[in-house]
Amino acid sequence: MLAFIAALGIGCLVHGAAPTPGEMATAAEWAAAKFAGESAPGFDGAPFFSFTYGGKASADLLPSWTVTRAVEAPDAHRARHTVTWTDPETGLEVRCEGVRYLDFPTVEWTLHFRNTGAADTPLLENLRAVDTAFRRDPHSEFLMRTIRGDNCTPASYEPLETPLPPKENVHLACTGGRPTQETFPGFNIAWGGGGVICALGWPGQWAADFTRDDGETLRVSGGQEETRFVLLPGEAVRGPLVVFQFYTGDWLRAQNVWRAWMLAHNTPAPGGRPLAPMRSLCNGNFYPNLMTVAGPERAFIERHLAEQVDFTCWWQDAGWYPCDGPGWPKTGTWEVDRGRFPGGLRELSDLVHAHGKSVLVWFEPERVHEGTWLADERPEWVHGGRKGGLLDLGNPACREWLTDHVAGLMDAEGIDHYRQDFNMDPLPFWRGADPEDRRGLTEIRHVEGYLAYWDALRARRPDMLIDSCASGGRRNDLETLRRAVPLLRSDWYWSEAGQQCLTYGLSLWIPYHGTGVIYDHDAYWWRSSMAPEMSFGPAAAGVEKTDFALLRKMTAEHRRIAPCLLGDLYPLTPYTRDEGAWMVLQFDRPDLGTGVVRAFRRAESVQESARVPLRGLDPEAAYTVTDLDTDESQSLTGRDLTEKGLSLVLPERPSARVFLYERQR
């Protein structure tokens, strides 16, 4: 088996750090033991997931069940494994769909349960999509690194380090059913000379435990938080996606390999093309209750075109549909408000398209407000009925209508890209709908329906980009990120230091993300906010006092540096929100021989200068380093830049300097 997989070859384009042969071998050995049932050094064939069935542990049941294994090669970069266990007594089928990547030290799997029998199954409980152990050497200890989820504060995405000493149990879970709310489902577990990155992909309520014995073993288990149900004859469900990435050496290098894997195999590629950085023009904050009006919006777009502002996309945020009274939160009637848009959104999209720009429009289909079309005309599709609540995406008829309606509306109005928000916690609705012997099923059906809805939209509109949003960044699990990117990583974007910190933390896990800038800010704020996607627009004051020269300068700078932001991340100073500190971030593109250094001296810092060693450069190469403020360049060797460091002088506070470097040919 291993020889067959190796013969498939590797070679997917990688933006950043590349794995080592040893890391690739570890992933292959794990897959051989767990997926293929072969003997492999360091790993046994014990199950790597768990559940309780009819009161008995799966570890005791699976050895007596019928098992079949198959492998195929869907492309040059993956080996797809299917392992199926079947209970001969009840007909329960447990199918593991696994993948080993042939260009990264990464494996993944998803469990599927199906009742092939003629009667209801016994109770299925405590489904853990991952349940496996790692053993340290006697001279090391376990340390877990992760980040906070989004909670709409400056602490969103803060890097966290948690020791895992003997007899310790760390329990983590998201809140409210949104998977990156408060807690993030990605964990870098280090011990000895390496470790493993583990991630859960579940756009619902997940939980995970990291449990140490009193010796050398750490058990990692996690999945959907609550599962206790019977399956009816013919009924099937799926569980969370689980990913392992094995590594040796530096944990930060491992995160850069993760970033490269995310871009190579997860980040959407509309139209089959790699997703390029974006600049989005958005005017929503100018209007009361975000309720846009066609005339002023046309004038707004035309002004920016006349001023030659560099933007790639016009972003129509919430409030374009009928939403009198409460304003934009009144969601559930998905038609253009013809009072404010007599010619529809098509009037504006035609203008934008005529200048070679694209159009992105905001939707929030899952939250249904009382008094809207969905609540009044289809209350049976709403958890909450006529009073409003959560749209039931687990209902096939509802999902089919929504797909047809949204796709038709996008076609009619000239909408290129789809932005989906989610400003509510679904968990109370899910759990309130479950009978006692069907706990967790409403959530599963909603998750399945949510993913199927997006897949159907993308099948109809393959050039379409989806923007994931959930009160900011509260639904950015891996299953979501395989279909969408977060163009507004958090609804909190109210200080420069906070924006710098959000970039620092989130970039460890999600390479492509975006944020927003309000016009009345200076270059320091703009530079603090730059991410692969950058949206911008005015506050209530409008554009009359806008410094368009600064706007042109900052958007041109973003165009210049944004490709580097998709490379390796090297934080050159510690994470801190302290206004008395500096923060310096380096992004390196080894595939292009280029990179960018972004240095921030904060408002209360007394330090005017610093010298920071760069990382990831070839010590024998020469680099041209250009200051984007002065456009002056100097030639420095990689050895000088990595050993002596780059000299930074920022006499004003607060201030920012940006340096581009390029390897000389």
Side-chain angles (χ1 to χ4, degrees):
M1 179 63 65
L2 293 180
F4 165 73
I5 293 173
L8 294 176
I10 63 174
C12 188
L13 180 64
V14 175
H15 282 195
T20 68
E23 292 167 339
M24 295 298 298
T26 300
E29 291 162 3
W30 191 96
K34 303 298 186 180
F35 293 155
E38 300 178 359
S39 60
F43 300 107
D44 59 31
F48 44 96
F49 56 87
S50 67
F51 57 90
T52 302
Y53 187 51
K56 297 179 180 179
S58 58
D60 298 327
L61 294 172
L62 291 177
S64 65
W65 291 10
T66 303
V67 60
T68 62
R69 303 177 191 272
V71 63
E72 61 178 345
D75 54 48
H77 308 298
R78 294 176 297 162
R80 178 176 293 150
H81 295 262
T82 302
V83 189
T84 305
W85 294 264
T86 304
D87 177 13
E89 294 185 8
T90 67
L92 177 68
E93 177 186 275
V94 181
R95 187 177 79 256
C96 174
E97 297 286 350
V99 174
R100 184 175 85 80
Y101 290 85
L102 306 180
D103 47 358
F104 286 91
T106 309
V107 295
E108 68 176 53
W109 67 93
T110 305
L111 296 179
H112 301 261
F113 296 80
R114 184 166 68 99
N115 181 3
T116 68
D120 296 356
T121 65
L123 273 175
L124 262 172
E125 300 177 87
N126 305 318
L127 273 60
R128 301 289 89 186
V130 57
D131 192 346
T132 193
F134 297 99
R135 188 176 182 87
R136 66 179 177 87
D137 64 71
H139 307 293
S140 66
E141 264 303 348
F142 291 101
L143 178 67
M144 180 173 65
R145 293 179 173 91
T146 184
I147 58 174
R148 295 189 194 277
D150 186 22
N151 58 3
C152 204
T153 75
S156 293
Y157 311 129
E158 177 183 5
L160 303 171
E161 292 188 0
T162 304
L164 298 169
K167 299 183 179 181
E168 181 78 5
N169 180 74
V170 174
H171 177 79
L172 298 175
C174 64
T175 63
R178 293 187 287 180
T180 51
Q181 180 166 264
E182 301 288 347
T183 312
F184 189 83
F187 320 99
N188 184 321
I189 304 166
W191 69 93
V196 63
I197 290 176
C198 175
L200 294 174
W202 184 247
Q205 183 68 21
W206 60 268
D209 287 278
F210 304 85
T211 306
R212 277 294 309 280
D213 62 9
D214 56 2
E216 299 171 354
T217 299
L218 171 70
R219 177 160 293 278
V220 177
S221 65
Q224 184 181 353
E225 185 176 66
E226 182 178 336
T227 47
R228 184 183 184 276
F229 51 78
V230 300
L231 289 179
L232 309 181
E235 191 173 25
V237 296
R238 62 154 291 179
L241 169 70
V242 184
V243 178
F244 277 1
Q245 177 189 293
F246 299 93
Y247 72 90
T248 57
D250 179 36
W251 74 272
L252 182 58
R253 183 188 146 277
Q255 292 295 154
N256 281 323
V257 174
W258 174 269
R259 284 170 54 87
W261 176 74
M262 286 291 295
L263 289 166
H265 291 293
N266 298 276
T267 303
R273 297 175 294 274
L275 189 59
M278 293 173 57
R279 288 160 298 284
S280 303
L281 180 66
C282 180
N283 199 24
N285 287 330
F286 173 71
Y287 297 93
N289 290 321
L290 301 183
M291 293 172 68
T292 324
V293 180
E297 192 68 14
R298 170 177 281 275
F300 169 76
I301 296 169
E302 290 175 336
R303 177 69 184 275
H304 286 78
L305 292 170
E307 294 283 353
Q308 298 184 324
V309 174
D310 182 5
F311 67 97
T312 52
C313 179
W314 170 58
W315 173 327
Q316 170 59 61
D317 215 57
W320 51 270
Y321 40 85
C323 50
D324 57 305
W328 74 267
K330 190 177 180 181
T331 53
T333 303
W334 296 111
E335 303 291 348
V336 180
D337 186 328
R338 296 290 170 168
R340 288 179 288 120
F341 293 91
L345 294 179
R346 169 66 74 172
E347 173 188 350
L348 300 174
S349 63
D350 284 350
L351 168 65
V352 171
H353 289 151
H355 289 83
K357 318 292 186 182
S358 62
V359 175
L360 179 146
V361 173
W362 182 100
F363 292 80
E364 192 182 355
E366 291 160 290
R367 185 171 57 86
V368 179
H369 196 281
E370 184 178 11
T372 61
W373 187 90
L374 279 169
D376 291 343
E377 301 298 325
R378 296 292 185 273
E380 69 277 13
W381 291 352
V382 182
H383 295 296
R386 294 184 182 278
K387 293 185 177 180
L390 177 70
L391 191 67
D392 183 8
L393 289 184
N395 182 318
C398 170
R399 189 170 67 250
E400 182 178 357
W401 173 87
L402 182 66
T403 305
D404 289 343
H405 186 75
V406 170
L409 186 60
M410 294 181 72
D411 289 341
E413 301 298 334
I415 300 168
D416 303 296
H417 305 307
Y418 174 82
R419 170 172 166 80
Q420 181 163 321
D421 209 339
F422 193 33
N423 292 294
M424 64 185 298
D425 284 345
L427 190 60
F429 293 97
W430 292 337
R431 292 188 173 172
D434 284 337
E436 188 57 33
D437 64 347
R438 304 278 279 175
R439 307 295 291 173
L441 275 180
T442 304
E443 176 181 344
I444 291 172
R445 296 303 180 214
H446 191 102
V447 166
E448 292 171 337
Y450 157 71
L451 299 176
Y453 166 57
W454 278 12
D455 288 343
L457 276 184
R458 297 198 314 153
R460 295 190 188 195
R461 306 176 59 86
D463 293 333
M464 177 186 71
L465 175 67
I466 297 179
D467 168 21
S468 67
C469 190
S471 306
R474 303 181 193 220
R475 185 159 61 172
N476 286 321
D477 66 291
L478 191 53
E479 283 282 24
T480 294
L481 295 178
R482 288 189 166 175
R483 297 160 172 84
V485 290
L487 299 187
L488 188 62
R489 61 196 181 188
S490 176
D491 277 353
W492 191 93
Y493 45 91
W494 302 109
S495 82
E496 305 97 324
Q499 287 284 50
Q500 297 160 24
C501 287
L502 264 60
T503 297
Y504 187 127
L506 187 60
S507 297
L508 291 167
W509 291 93
I510 302 177
Y512 198 107
H513 53 87
T515 190
V517 185
I518 304 298
Y519 281 174
D520 56 1
H521 296 315
D522 58 13
Y524 176 62
W525 197 302
W526 278 87
R527 286 174 166 170
S528 298
S529 304
M530 288 188 187
E533 188 276 342
M534 181 176 67
S535 58
F536 46 89
V543 299
E544 295 309 314
K545 296 183 179 180
T546 295
D547 183 346
F548 279 100
L550 176 64
L551 184 52
R552 285 189 292 269
K553 174 180 170 62
M554 290 295 101
T555 52
E557 182 173 300
H558 181 267
R559 172 183 284 274
R560 197 170 177 186
I561 74 167
C564 297
L565 304 182
L566 297 177
D568 291 336
L569 164 67
Y570 295 110
L572 303 180
T573 53
Y575 174 95
T576 178
R577 297 192 295 276
D578 182 3
E579 287 286 355
W582 281 49
M583 180 170 282
V584 185
L585 300 174
Q586 176 193 358
F587 289 87
D588 181 64
R589 285 290 298 269
D591 58 320
L592 301 179
T594 61
V596 62
V597 178
R598 304 161 66 192
F600 304 97
R601 180 189 178 190
R602 293 179 178 168
E604 298 174 12
S605 171
V606 298
Q607 182 180 349
E608 293 188 0
S609 64
R611 184 177 288 274
V612 292
L614 305 191
R615 296 188 60 178
L617 307 186
D618 180 353
E620 304 304 321
Y623 292 83
T624 300
V625 183
T626 303
D627 183 333
L628 294 195
D629 277 333
T630 65
D631 213 30
E632 295 177 353
S633 298
Q634 55 182 319
S635 180
L636 297 167
T637 67
R639 190 175 307 280
D640 282 343
L641 287 168
T642 56
E643 294 181 1
K644 296 180 182 178
L646 178 65
S647 177
L648 305 171
V649 179
L650 280 73
E652 298 181 0
R653 57 178 183 181
S655 60
R657 296 283 290 279
V658 179
F659 295 85
L660 269 178
Y661 60 83
E662 182 175 8
R663 180 173 177 157
Q664 297 174 11
R665 305 299 177 185

